[in-house]
Amino acid sequence: MFTDQNLTLMTDLYQLTMMQGYYHYGKKDRTVVFDLFYRDNPFSAAFSIVAGLDQAIEYIQNLHFSPEDIAYLQSLNIFEADFLEYLKDFRFTGDIDAIPEGSIAFPREPLLRVKAPIIEAQLIETALLCIINHQSLIATKASRVVWAAKGDPVMEFGLRRAQGPDAGTLGARAAVIGGCIGTSNVLTAQLFDVAPKGTHSHSWVMSFDDELTAFRAYAELFPDMCILLVDTYDTLGSGVPNAIKVFQEMRDAGVSSKMYGIRLDSGDLAYLSMEARKMLDEAGFPDAIISASSDLDEYLIRDLKLQGAQISLWGVGTRLITAKDCPSFGGVYKLAAEDDGTGVMEPKIKLSDNAVKITNPGVKKIIRIYDKQTGYLRGDLIALEDEIFDESQPLEIFDPENTWKRMRFKPGTYTLRELLTPIFRGGKLVYSRPSVMEIQQYCKAEQATLRPESKRLVNAQTIPVDLSQSLYDLKQAMIQKFSAEE
Amino acid sequence: MFTDQNLTLMTDLYQLTMMQGYYHYGKKDRTVVFDLFYRDNPFSAAFSIVAGLDQAIEYIQNLHFSPEDIAYLQSLNIFEADFLEYLKDFRFTGDIDAIPEGSIAFPREPLLRVKAPIIEAQLIETALLCIINHQSLIATKASRVVWAAKGDPVMEFGLRRAQGPDAGTLGARAAVIGGCIGTSNVLTAQLFDVAPKGTHSHSWVMSFDDELTAFRAYAELFPDMCILLVDTYDTLGSGVPNAIKVFQEMRDAGVSSKMYGIRLDSGDLAYLSMEARKMLDEAGFPDAIISASSDLDEYLIRDLKLQGAQISLWGVGTRLITAKDCPSFGGVYKLAAEDDGTGVMEPKIKLSDNAVKITNPGVKKIIRIYDKQTGYLRGDLIALEDEIFDESQPLEIFDPENTWKRMRFKPGTYTLRELLTPIFRGGKLVYSRPSVMEIQQYCKAEQATLRPESKRLVNAQTIPVDLSQSLYDLKQAMIQKFSAEE
């Protein structure tokens, strides 16, 4: 777990060799702007949820080369002595702006914008991508699972199948941001002040002489979180009847439970939950919870609901914590502008034969457009930083790939919001870091600005992300210029 | 990054509630045996590579509840005071045996066997699974990628797309165990004494006035690792010609380079590499390396080779570090035996309607059978710990699901090897931990014991994993007994 760790060397070797190059050629202090963005939403979704900023902040704050780090780099025999000397006092001194955690984001939008001396901006690329890519992936996946559960609480249960301790611990953090009510991972609960969740396992049942004794023992000790796992031997034949017996004994003894019920972890969850529901209802326990956990994801939860499954609490593991159907988030980090030597930020562009891979040049901001009446998100506009947009004026936006596709907004029908928020200024943190549960609330509000059509699991309605006229013109001019030079 | 971190609370909440239960009911010291095993090889492979043991050892050694941990647990209001008091001196006091890292393993074999008081064995389940599942997954994936590269070196380049810092750093460790020659992740290189690898990025080229100047600057500074990225503007039109110009200038200046060449990161790698090879050869640089890195995996590398691609150094990122086509390894941790109260270990079994989910009861060991002449692995035998196998006797093994499938070995034609190795005894480490590069060498030797048919990417020939007659009889008797009781 990387909290408070020095991850300075957690970077690609080439960042360090390039830093050496910038140092050697006297370019290290040239100010540059890098954009961290992605090109495609994961899961064929219409949006992503941004997460990981808080760990990115800690990473930046802890950034320094320890004497051991410098000795190690020296041992590689590829770095010059004056460069290694310089690293001793290395700190991040630049500016970072970011879309706040829990926000809805779309392809090509800078999730993070770094303005710093090139030698600093280069170093931090890899760790920033690693942190933001990972947590944005899991937060987005979680939002889909929670959406499919239609208001039922979802618990994150994936630690044992996560891709290592951070993936399990920070992934659970991201899952809570995306809407999970809690996690089985006690370390996540402790570090981020979220609810730890859990029941008991098959080995508990097997460690007693029989299932009923095991259930009684658990109920006696944890009457207020008495969810009994009923599938160790025979779900409907012994598990549910024994659970009912224990619930009856609790009731007879006058024990009132805040939360009680059963957990299904194998078999046909639709059938078993419906049968168990009948048995519990007939025994006089209509408020007994039926929870389930067995290789679930958003698609299975949707299908189980369609099949009438009587499950009201979901434990989701492997497929959430690994984002199994799409286990990587394709964030990249590209040069957008560079000081021309006189203090003016000159736009930079990366060309490609593949049109969607051509970057957007210049120092940019993101303007989000809402319908004033409904509050729904209508579209985003990527613009140059010094452009001014005035809600009292008509607004026209257009698709940068199909420029005849235009949307017009009359004054009074729309509101605007700028997404990029100052995080660091001159290396100093200027951002007040919200708690994970605050981020979860914000994320919920963010998702409420999306029409249901954009939250569908399949064929979700995309949201337009347009370029301002000025940015579009700049980009076209730069493409023309490079093409003419060829 | 979790090295030297206290991960004691990185466990599922239910482990702690069950520990409270064992404590409360006076069962905490009952000795149990848990097996950590998996049911299916990932990637439809015929085997897995085990990895992560060294981090599991560190986890066990660091295991303790800090005062902050205990205060946190107390704040949850679900634990009793005497239990929390007990946790203050909690340490792992049991035995652990494991298959060494880098070993070939097969489904249903205990990769790790824990014999400990139930209260200790229960706690460590989640973290052990997380660590072993993750690294075994990536080591196995890496072995496939390296196999597809047919002797070409493979570098691990995935940090930026990994599922968090540990996934990037420990994943790179596992990738080196699986056969990668090095990693771009400098922290992995530092922590585990493996080779850091890298070139330069597009932003290096873009930060200079032109590509040729950028290449010259890089070559001057890093003549011995001079791999130039040629696709920033136009691979064959400018990138390769500019690289050749720089190589010629180096040669003219009498600079001898240990390693020089180009890197392709986009476009049609087969076509571009063949054209680049021709250009480099014609210019007199037949030993210039052509490396490639663009969403590669074992299947793409195999296809590129079939298409005649002239690539001799592979950088593999996202699809290796996330094991993209199968991002989880299904390790589980099941109770196999329990002290009957008199010091005798009583076998335990977990039944299931699904035959492959029925566990193997008892305290077990794994015997590997090799062909004496060829050294090839012929099969594995899961046996009870006290069984004795004698190479001077004939050996017959049989498929536990299709018992008519039998293999017979005459004395002198086979050799045996026991896989489980003592790691902890009475909580003390008794194992000499090999370095990552030693594990890599061992892993290479392990893979050499597999026939090529078992290493195929598709339809690989499976290896028999049989049960000894005694274990088979025990299992059948226990299944019969439970069925009779129903």
Side-chain angles (χ1 to χ4, degrees), chain B residues 321-335:
Chain B
I321 205 69
T322 63
K324 188 143 189 165
D325 53 332
C326 175
S328 68
F329 189 91
V332 296
Y333 185 85
K334 297 289 176 190
L335 186 65

Side-chain angles (χ1 to χ4, degrees), chain A residues 1-2 5 9 12-14 25 27 125 133 160 163 166 184 186-187 199 203 207 217 322 324 327-328, chain B residues 1-2 5 9 11-14 25 27 122 125 133 160 163 166 184 187 199 207 217 322 324 327-328:
Chain A
M1 262 299 308
F2 94 116
Q5 292 279 293
L9 287 195
D12 291 311
L13 178 66
Y14 78 7
Y25 292 109
K27 299 171 63 158
E125 170 179 13
N133 276 336
R160 63 189 56 199
Q163 296 195 351
D166 281 334
S184 67
V186 183
L187 185 58
T199 59
S203 65
S207 81
T322 64
K324 188 142 189 166
S328 67
Chain B
M1 260 301 307
F2 92 116
Q5 292 280 294
L9 286 195
T11 190
D12 291 311
L13 178 66
Y14 77 7
Y25 292 108
K27 299 171 61 156
Q122 193 77 62
E125 168 178 15
N133 276 336
R160 63 189 56 199
Q163 296 195 351
D166 281 334
S184 67
L187 184 58
T199 61
S207 80
T322 63
K324 188 143 189 165
S328 68

Side-chain angles (χ1 to χ4, degrees), chain A residues 193-427:
Chain A
D193 198 18
V194 303
K197 296 284 176 186
T199 59
H200 65 78
S201 74
H202 298 115
S203 65
W204 172 266
V205 177
M206 290 163 72
S207 81
F208 285 83
D209 287 337
D210 59 73
E211 192 178 48
L212 183 60
T213 309
F215 285 179
R216 277 188 184 129
Y218 194 81
E220 188 188 324
L221 216 48
F222 302 107
D224 282 329
M225 46 183 285
C226 187
I227 304 290
L228 302 171
L229 178 62
V230 290
D231 71 340
T232 304
Y233 301 114
D234 179 349
T235 302
L236 301 179
S238 77
V240 178
N242 280 331
I244 287 174
K245 204 170 287 182
V246 171
F247 300 152
Q248 191 60 54
E249 288 170 3
M250 288 168 77
R251 180 171 290 174
D252 293 347
V255 176
S256 78
S257 169
K258 281 189 198 153
M259 180 164 117
Y260 75 102
I262 63 170
R263 176 161 74 99
L264 303 168
D265 189 43
S266 60
D268 189 315
L269 298 180
Y271 169 74
L272 293 174
S273 67
M274 288 187 283
E275 292 299 310
R277 184 75 273 160
K278 269 190 247 165
M279 293 162 76
L280 287 161
D281 289 354
E282 282 165 14
F285 300 102
D287 57 342
I289 288 168
I290 299 179
S291 67
S293 56
S294 180
D295 275 341
L296 297 172
D297 64 11
E298 64 269 47
Y299 305 104
L300 260 164
I301 291 174
R302 175 196 59 188
D303 290 351
L304 284 166
K305 285 192 164 279
L306 284 172
Q307 292 157 26
Q310 296 295 309
I311 296 164
S312 59
L313 177 62
W314 305 83
V316 182
T318 309
R319 296 187 189 192
L320 166 56
I321 204 70
T322 64
K324 188 142 189 166
D325 53 332
C326 176
S328 67
F329 189 90
V332 295
Y333 185 84
K334 298 289 176 189
L335 187 66
E338 187 177 48
D339 189 324
D340 68 355
T342 71
V344 175
M345 294 308 291
E346 186 182 30
K348 289 277 180 174
I349 193 166
K350 163 87 175 71
L351 297 181
S352 170
D353 289 341
N354 187 344
V356 300
K357 284 201 164 187
I358 299 178
T359 60
N360 289 319
V363 185
K364 298 174 293 292
K365 62 182 174 184
I366 312 161
I367 307 289
R368 182 153 290 174
I369 306 161
Y370 295 96
D371 185 288
K372 193 165 188 171
Q373 201 173 357
T374 63
Y376 280 132
L377 199 171
R378 297 296 306 274
D380 276 6
L381 194 58
I382 307 178
L384 293 168
E385 200 188 21
D386 52 9
E387 289 188 78
I388 290 164
F389 296 88
D390 180 352
E391 291 175 6
S392 71
Q393 298 296 316
L395 178 67
E396 180 175 282
I397 66 174
F398 63 96
D399 183 325
E401 270 139 56
N402 303 285
T403 54
W404 49 270
K405 287 192 188 169
R406 287 177 180 260
M407 285 170 70
R408 294 174 187 84
F409 302 93
K410 289 185 197 149
T413 69
Y414 72 95
T415 59
L416 299 178
R417 173 184 164 218
E418 214 173 304
L419 294 190
L420 284 173
T421 303
I423 309 297
F424 285 94
R425 283 293 176 267

Side-chain angles (χ1 to χ4, degrees), chain B residues 155-227:
Chain B
M155 304 175 292
E156 189 288 309
F157 273 5
L159 176 56
R160 63 189 56 199
R161 301 284 170 81
Q163 296 195 351
D166 281 334
T169 304
L170 300 175
R173 174 187 187 274
V176 172
I177 288 175
C180 290
I181 60 158
T183 170
S184 67
N185 185 338
V186 183
L187 184 58
T188 299
Q190 179 191 31
L191 289 175
F192 303 109
D193 197 18
V194 302
K197 296 284 176 186
T199 61
H200 65 77
S201 75
H202 299 115
S203 64
W204 172 265
V205 177
M206 290 164 72
S207 80
F208 286 83
D209 287 338
D210 58 74
E211 193 178 48
L212 183 59
T213 309
F215 285 179
R216 276 187 185 130
Y218 194 81
E220 188 189 324
L221 216 48
F222 301 107
D224 283 330
M225 46 183 286
C226 186
I227 304 289

Side-chain angles (χ1 to χ4, degrees), chain A residues 420-434:
Chain A
L420 284 173
T421 303
I423 309 297
F424 285 94
R425 283 293 176 267
K428 296 269 171 287
L429 185 69
V430 296
Y431 180 65
S432 168
R433 296 157 62 181

Side-chain angles (χ1 to χ4, degrees), chain B residues 418-463:
Chain B
E418 214 174 304
L419 294 189
L420 284 173
T421 304
I423 310 297
F424 285 95
R425 283 293 174 270
K428 296 270 171 284
L429 185 69
V430 296
Y431 180 65
S432 168
R433 295 156 63 180
S435 73
V436 168
M437 293 311 288
E438 287 167 348
I439 299 170
Q440 187 194 59
Q441 281 310 305
Y442 167 74
C443 183
K444 202 173 163 183
E446 279 284 283
Q447 291 178 73
T449 67
L450 290 176
R451 288 186 172 280
E453 296 76 20
S454 291
K455 290 189 269 194
R456 275 198 295 249
L457 297 183
V458 177
N459 284 336
Q461 176 69 35
T462 57
I463 310 263

